[in-house]
Amino acid sequence: MDAACCEPLAAPALTEEAAADTAELFKALGDPARVRIVNVLATSGTPVCICNLVEPLGLSQPTVSHHMKKLADVGIVEREQRGRMAYFSLRPTAVEALASVTDLRGACC
């Protein structure tokens, strides 16, 4: 799935495909650990080594790896291999897609 294909929820005619793609993004963020991972990546400013996520999240390395795979599978994060270590950052297109589908300002007014 490509996170760049999501349309804003307020789009005049949200296609079935766009709705399905958007649902996949939200599904991936349906776990508190994944939300926390996205928060760490969003506030880090540079790619983060997976080993640096273990302690702040209070999770084991295999559990963090599992969550990173889920986020990578839907295109929210990208992985960069540096020797034996994997570094992760948010995909800019995913950030844009998430921002566009969650911007509900003005929807209730």
Side-chain angles (χ1 to χ4, degrees):
M1 187 191 102
D2 185 4
C5 64
C6 296
E7 297 174 33
L9 291 179
L14 189 63
T15 66
E16 193 67 34
E17 182 181 3
D21 290 343
T22 300
E24 288 300 314
L25 290 176
F26 282 109
K27 249 197 265 187
L29 293 173
D31 184 287
R34 291 185 207 134
V35 172
R36 291 178 64 210
I37 289 169
V38 169
N39 178 255
V40 169
L41 296 177
T43 58
S44 72
T46 61
V48 177
C49 178
I50 200 162
C51 65
N52 293 327
L53 293 170
V54 172
E55 188 176 325
L57 296 173
L59 301 172
S60 69
Q61 188 276 326
T63 301
V64 174
S65 291
H66 165 77
H67 288 302
M68 295 308 291
K69 181 174 179 352
K70 294 285 187 182
L71 293 171
D73 286 348
V74 296
I76 294 175
V77 300
E78 52 192 13
R79 176 186 178 160
E80 176 189 345
Q81 196 69 35
R82 298 181 190 171
R84 294 181 46 192
M85 306 307 270
Y87 286 77
F88 291 87
S89 57
L90 295 176
R91 287 185 63 213
T93 54
V95 171
E96 289 296 320
L98 288 168
S100 70
V101 300
T102 57
D103 185 5
L104 301 174
R105 289 175 287 182
C108 299
C109 303

